[in-house]
């Protein structure tokens, strides 16, 4: 059922677990993640980036998400990921998204505060919640990129949240967007995370946290993918981050990798197949498998709970 993002995340904040945010940009990916949520009775957040909206069209994506939520018993929210264009933010609010992200993290503190505040007043008028970002998450994701990671300052975070009135905060504690995240050992700054959680007392969001599961990478490579040097955030680090206050974790890269592996396998092993359903069906199943792993890791399995 269609549910407010805020409601889902407040529960996660109180219960100390994290909700899976899955980026969608077509029917199969959406169905794949929703199937995972149903299998595990977990609430999920479907998210569309500006890149996804450019690719598929906002009306199509919104209708896909709405249809999924009508047919499903688990709480499903619809979120705009990395909103930077005020027109797209406005359209998302008008169309009935349950939350929007304003990403002005590349701006100076004052300007980020100003822009976020503007979006908060716009969204709250329609009972829609707002995710904002402070600090810089590294890497490249769709239309968003940053060279360096600038860790979120806990005192600044407190000031930012008080001034803007945002509902959830994306923090930079060492994660990075994309599949080519890191060189060497990955270590997230749990000390910073704990301090932020203590000071802001809001649901916190982790971006750039894909796991890049090696089984999926191996499968894709077996059938021809060139993915040299990919590396994700280890499950142990994700678990610690959830324990220390993360309540929403964005996953996009892992879904892309699963989809890629599924399609490559069919093309390689069944060259006579040319029915799109037979090519995309297994990729959809691969998405479900990866999404289930993420939901279990985040601790939101079985949290769909009754009618709430
Ligand atoms: Zn992100």
């Amino acid at each position: 059922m269609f549910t407010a993002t805020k409601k889902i995340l407040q529960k996660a904040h109180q219960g100390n677990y994290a909700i899976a945010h899955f980026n969608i940009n077509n029917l199969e990916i959406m169905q794949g993640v929703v199937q995972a949520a149903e299998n595990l009775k977990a609430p999920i957040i479907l998210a569309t980036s500006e890149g996804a909206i450019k690719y598929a069209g906002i009306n199509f994506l919104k209708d896909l998400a709405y249809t999924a939520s009508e047919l499903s018993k688990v709480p499903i929210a619809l979120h705009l990921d990395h909103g930077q264009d005020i027109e797209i933010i406005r359209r998302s609010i008008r169309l009935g998204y349950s939350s929007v992200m304003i990403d002005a993290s590349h701006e100076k503190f004052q300007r980020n505060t100003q822009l976020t505040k503007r979006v908060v007043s716009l969204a709250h008028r329609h009972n829609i919640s707002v995710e904002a970002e402070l600090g810089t998450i590294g890497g490249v994701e769709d239309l968003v990129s940053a060279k360096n990671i600038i860790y979120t300052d806990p005192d600044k975070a407190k000031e930012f949240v008080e001034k803007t009135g945002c509902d959830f905060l994306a923090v930079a504690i060492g994660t990075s967007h994309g599949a080519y995240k890191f060189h060497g050992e990955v270590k997230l700054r749990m000390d910073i995370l704990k301090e932020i959680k203590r000071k802001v007392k809001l649901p916190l969001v982790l971006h750039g946290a894909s796991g890049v599961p090696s089984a999926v990478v191996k499968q894709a490579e077996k059938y021809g993918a060139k993915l040299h040097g990919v590396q994700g955030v280890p499950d142990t680090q994700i678990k610690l981050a959830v324990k220390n206050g993360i309540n929403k974790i964005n996953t996009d890269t892992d879904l892309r990798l699963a989809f890629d592996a599924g399609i490559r396998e069919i093309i390689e092993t069944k060259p006579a197949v040319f029915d799109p359903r037979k090519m995309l069906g297994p990729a959809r199943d691969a998405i479900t498998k990866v999404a289930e792993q993420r939901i279990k890791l985040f601790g939101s399995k079985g949290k769909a709970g009754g009618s709430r």
Side-chain angles (χ1 to χ4, degrees):
M1 91 221 62
F2 197 73
T3 309
T5 311
K6 192 165 181 173
K7 207 166 170 180
I8 295 175
L9 289 183
Q10 282 297 351
K11 257 184 101 179
H13 172 65
Q14 281 151 15
N16 195 212
Y17 56 90
I19 300 293
H21 148 139
F22 290 122
N23 282 80
I24 59 162
N25 46 56
N26 68 14
L27 174 73
E28 283 78 9
I29 296 172
M30 193 276 301
Q31 287 178 327
V33 299
V34 169
Q35 188 62 55
E38 294 203 321
N39 292 349
L40 300 179
K41 300 196 171 26
I44 53 164
I45 296 166
L46 299 175
T48 66
S49 63
E50 290 188 352
I53 289 168
K54 241 185 190 167
Y55 171 78
I58 194 167
N59 296 79
F60 281 113
L61 293 172
K62 179 238 151 192
D63 283 348
L64 281 179
Y66 265 64
T67 302
S69 66
E70 278 160 19
L71 297 175
S72 177
K73 284 199 184 84
V74 301
I76 295 178
L78 178 62
H79 176 75
L80 173 70
D81 192 22
H82 287 288
Q84 294 192 326
D85 179 336
I86 191 76
E87 268 321 301
I88 293 181
I89 293 172
R90 270 187 218 282
R91 281 190 73 192
S92 309
I93 292 170
R94 267 205 308 269
L95 271 176
Y97 274 55
S98 37
S99 54
V100 293
M101 177 185 185
I102 162 72
D103 178 2
S105 59
H106 48 283
E107 302 280 0
K108 293 236 163 67
F109 183 81
Q110 288 300 342
R111 182 83 182 131
N112 186 357
T113 306
Q114 216 173 41
L115 287 168
T116 301
K117 212 175 152 182
R118 198 169 138 210
V119 169
V120 167
S121 74
L122 193 71
H124 282 187
R125 247 182 279 151
H126 299 265
N127 261 324
I128 287 164
S129 49
V130 177
E131 174 183 333
E133 179 177 323
L134 188 66
T136 310
I137 296 153
V140 184
E141 185 193 36
D142 273 5
L143 313 174
V144 182
S145 79
K147 271 202 186 98
N148 301 308
I149 297 165
I150 302 165
Y151 295 110
T152 306
D153 176 331
D155 288 315
K156 284 276 175 200
K158 184 171 190 282
E159 187 187 340
F160 181 77
V161 164
E162 283 168 1
K163 281 190 169 154
T164 61
C166 68
D167 304 282
F168 332 116
L169 187 69
V171 295
I173 56 167
T175 55
S176 180
H177 285 122
Y180 298 90
K181 297 174 186 299
F182 310 107
H183 308 285
E185 200 196 354
V186 181
K187 222 164 176 269
L188 305 185
R189 291 288 303 271
M190 297 302 163
D191 54 327
I192 294 178
L193 173 59
K194 275 188 219 170
E195 196 61 15
I196 298 170
K197 191 71 174 186
R198 199 173 62 78
K199 291 197 154 125
V200 309
K201 298 183 173 64
L202 279 186
L204 298 179
V205 182
L206 197 61
H207 286 240
S210 283
V212 188
S214 57
V216 175
V217 171
K218 267 189 203 138
Q219 193 202 352
E221 284 181 327
K222 185 176 166 192
Y223 298 109
K226 299 255 184 294
L227 298 168
H228 183 72
V230 293
Q231 192 188 352
V233 180
D235 288 359
T236 48
Q237 292 278 300
I238 296 290
K239 269 199 177 142
L240 261 182
V242 173
K243 186 173 166 245
N244 288 314
I246 293 292
N247 304 113
K248 170 175 174 283
I249 300 177
N250 297 12
T251 298
D252 189 359
T253 299
D254 289 349
L255 305 179
R256 294 179 184 192
L257 288 169
F259 204 71
D260 176 68
I263 288 172
R264 281 179 194 279
E265 182 172 352
I266 294 295
I267 290 174
E268 274 289 303
T269 60
K270 301 200 170 121
V273 165
F274 61 92
D275 179 343
R277 294 167 297 188
K278 290 188 177 145
M279 299 168 88
L280 297 178
R284 182 171 62 186
D285 295 340
I287 293 266
T288 299
K289 220 172 126 191
V290 164
E292 282 181 356
Q293 286 163 0
R294 301 296 287 169
I295 289 168
K296 283 184 202 156
L297 177 64
F298 302 164
S300 49
K301 179 185 170 187
K303 303 290 187 188
S307 60
R308 287 188 303 150

